[in-house]
Amino acid sequence: MNGEPQVNDRIRPLAPMSHPVFRMVWFASLASNLGGLIQSVGAAWLMTSIATSADMVALVQASVSLPIMLFSLAAGAIADNFERRKVMIAAQIFLLGVSVLLAIITYLGLITPWVLLLFTFLIGCGTALYNPSWQASVGEMVPRTVLPAAVALNSVNFNLSRSVGPAIGGIIVASLGAAASFAVNAVSYLPLLFAISRWKPPVQQRTLPPERMFEAMTTGLRYVAMSPHIEKVLLRGFVFGFTAIIVLALLPLVSRDQLHGGPLLYGLMLGCFGIGAIAGAFLSGKARETMSNESVARLAFIGFAICATFVALSPNAWLAGLGISIGGVCWVLALAMFNVTVQLSTPRWVLGRALALYQTATFGGMALGSWVWGLAAEEYGVPTALLIAALVMLGGAAIGLRFGLPRKTPDNLDPLGRWRVPDIELDLRGQSGPVAVLVEYLIEEKDTRAFLEAMKERKRIRRRDGARQWELLRDTQKPDRWVESYRVPTWNDYVRLNQRRTQADAGVDDRILSLHSGGERPRVLRMVIRPTEWTEPGLQTKTPVDLG
């Protein structure tokens, strides 16, 4: 494919559908999402029948969101260190088993409010495991140029299901009971399992073993902490999830008590939200072209405040449905933009963890918001809680004045590829370490200020990619001699750190090299730290090289 079609792909909403794998998984996901929403209607309405308090009804939404907040980072580490396709299959099999068991227990009349919350929590656990691998895999199914359109189409997928699934769910629950809705959900996992099993992604050649789980999780946290763009997205995602979830969390009560309807009306209200969300998905591409990310975020917050106000004050289902449709538009505008921003701001090696932390922030906000707004509805009534949330949403728009979202033009985060594993005389294993690295520079006095500015960015990049105890030293006898010093736990970690540098980092490297006044490249010393007690186990050097 030449350059021109790729440019056009960026502005064609259906461009990802020309890629067979994405198309196959998309249609299978449509069936799965449809089943999931039917199950959600069954669970929410079942809780209104077996529980008496508003906060228990709101906890149905919280119990699905909470596992995503708690376990997404671990799932992201798994997605980055293991074959994502296998992780997705395992998650779908787990979800299938939980849904079958829930249907059986409900059919036998053994369900209680806390048992229902347990099963919705387990469904949330399976979703937490699946989502990072799935979202990170989208970039393997379509070219990077059409990634925003693919994310938008995935939003269309879910919200197309939302537009009809809840209504179908309401009919199923009203006519056959909640157990039938859970059984339908179980069956809906089968097409997606089949599609994923047929997908054969290119096998990535790994020269290093997977990171240990704890180290992988801390690496993800460190990368996000050293990436200001992603931190801002996480903050705004948390606030949006915390405030916007009130409409979905309290909608069963609005449908029953304020609009005097049953499960069918509740499903129709969710359908209005889904229709609005589909419109939002198709508008998101145009919004990204004509508006800044920050403008889209503010529009979404303000629009959702209008939605909550409509729902709180509407005397009939027609006006409530209109307000909920506005909320659906803003829901997708915000979440699709957040997702794309994270994906375009993160290299492939840590993408699963970055997306997982985004999910943790957003769904953590949803889980906390479901609980808080449920308590507020119990104390002050549903309409008052919605109006309070609308005011908080306006505050979420104002946060952008201090924590504005990053520009739309992404950095080139492809691997830099300049570094090669050095030849070493000392026999090392991959786990040998700690390793201290010293890089010597010769900097003329007139270039000192520019050098310090460049090294400030170098420090952020080194620490982001795994360096510890980073320091910059200056020779007291030869002031033009500077030494960059840092440590990594093992030789494998040193190799990983250097392989993680991206094309976007090249400018910093080139700037530092241009200031180096030596005739040769800066001298690099790689030192394995050894205690003086040579007899301590693991210190012998006569071992074969093993970097894997």
Side-chain angles (χ1 to χ4, degrees), residues 143-204:
R144 191 175 180 85
T145 52
V146 299
L147 183 59
V151 172
L153 277 177
N154 285 335
S155 296
V156 170
N157 187 310
F158 181 77
N159 290 291
L160 184 61
S161 303
R162 192 197 293 273
S163 65
V164 296
I168 296 173
I171 294 173
I172 292 174
V173 173
S175 58
L176 301 175
S181 70
F182 302 150
V184 169
N185 182 44
V187 174
S188 73
Y189 291 117
L190 299 178
L192 188 53
L193 270 169
F194 175 77
I196 297 172
S197 65
R198 291 286 305 275
W199 175 40
K200 304 299 181 185
V203 178
Q204 296 182 352

Side-chain angles (χ1 to χ4, degrees), residues 233 236 287-288 291-299 333-334 337-338 340-341 345 404-409:
V233 175
R236 304 300 288 284
R288 282 181 56 84
M291 302 170 64
S292 67
N293 286 338
E294 180 55 38
S295 296
V296 173
R298 294 181 190 178
L299 177 64
L333 282 178
M337 183 269 293
F338 292 154
V340 169
T341 302
S345 302
L405 293 174
R407 58 189 173 87
K408 290 183 288 188
T409 304

Side-chain angles (χ1 to χ4, degrees), residues 52-283:
T52 58
S53 62
D55 57 325
M56 288 297 290
V57 176
L59 280 177
V60 173
Q61 187 70 45
S63 65
V64 176
S65 303
L66 183 62
I68 299 176
M69 179 188 70
L70 294 177
F71 306 130
S72 280
L73 180 55
I78 292 171
D80 286 332
N81 281 281
F82 298 95
E83 186 179 339
R84 289 168 180 158
R85 172 179 167 273
K86 293 181 179 179
V87 175
M88 293 161 65
I89 291 174
Q92 289 297 309
I93 291 174
F94 175 80
L95 287 166
L96 172 61
V98 170
S99 297
V100 169
L101 191 56
L102 175 59
I104 293 173
I105 289 177
T106 304
Y107 178 77
L108 295 177
L110 303 176
I111 201 73
T112 67
W114 289 106
V115 170
L116 178 58
L117 289 177
L118 172 64
F119 274 93
T120 53
F121 180 85
L122 292 175
I123 289 173
C125 290
T127 303
L129 177 62
Y130 176 79
N131 279 349
S133 291
W134 157 235
Q135 293 186 26
S137 295
V138 175
E140 298 174 3
M141 298 178 184
V142 300
R144 191 175 180 85
T145 52
V146 299
L147 183 59
V151 172
L153 277 177
N154 285 335
S155 296
V156 170
N157 187 310
F158 181 77
N159 290 291
L160 184 61
S161 303
R162 192 197 293 273
S163 65
V164 296
I168 296 173
I171 294 173
I172 292 174
V173 173
S175 58
L176 301 175
S181 70
F182 302 150
V184 169
N185 182 44
V187 174
S188 73
Y189 291 117
L190 299 178
L192 188 53
L193 270 169
F194 175 77
I196 297 172
S197 65
R198 291 286 305 275
W199 175 40
K200 304 299 181 185
V203 178
Q204 296 182 352
Q205 298 297 327
R206 297 182 182 271
T207 58
L208 297 173
E211 297 175 88
R212 289 189 292 267
M213 182 60 67
F214 179 76
E215 284 78 5
M217 293 168 63
T218 55
T219 296
L221 288 169
R222 182 175 56 247
Y223 186 91
V224 169
M226 295 289 111
S227 303
H229 291 346
I230 303 178
E231 285 186 310
K232 292 175 182 177
V233 175
L234 265 57
L235 172 63
R236 304 300 288 284
F238 174 82
V239 176
F240 187 81
F242 175 79
T243 54
I245 197 60
I246 185 173
V247 174
L248 295 176
L250 299 182
L251 196 55
L253 299 176
V254 172
S255 300
R256 186 189 67 182
D257 301 334
Q258 188 172 320
L259 302 178
H260 309 293
L264 179 57
L265 178 62
Y266 170 57
L268 290 173
M269 290 296 101
L270 283 179
C272 290
F273 190 92
I275 292 172
I278 292 173
F282 282 108
L283 289 172

Side-chain angles (χ1 to χ4, degrees), residues 482-516:
W482 295 77
V483 177
E484 175 190 8
S485 169
Y486 63 91
R487 295 185 180 186
V488 288
T490 68
W491 182 258
N492 276 346
D493 292 314
Y494 174 68
V495 175
R496 286 193 186 97
L497 179 145
N498 285 280
Q499 291 178 345
R500 287 168 178 170
R501 278 188 290 177
T502 67
Q503 297 287 342
D505 301 329
V508 177
D509 293 349
D510 294 340
R511 191 157 71 249
I512 293 172
L513 287 175
S514 70
L515 296 171
H516 174 65

Side-chain angles (χ1 to χ4, degrees), residues 207-209 211-212 419-438 465-466 486-500 524-530 543-548:
T207 58
L208 297 173
E211 297 175 88
R212 289 189 292 267
W419 190 83
R420 298 291 181 268
V421 178
D423 294 328
I424 54 177
E425 297 296 330
L426 184 66
D427 290 335
L428 294 177
R429 291 189 180 275
Q431 295 304 313
S432 297
V435 176
V437 182
L438 306 175
D465 292 346
Y486 63 91
R487 295 185 180 186
V488 288
T490 68
W491 182 258
N492 276 346
D493 292 314
Y494 174 68
V495 175
R496 286 193 186 97
L497 179 145
N498 285 280
Q499 291 178 345
R500 287 168 178 170
V524 181
L525 300 176
R526 305 169 185 90
M527 318 288 287
V528 179
I529 298 173
R530 287 291 183 247
T543 54
V545 175
D546 176 13
L547 302 184

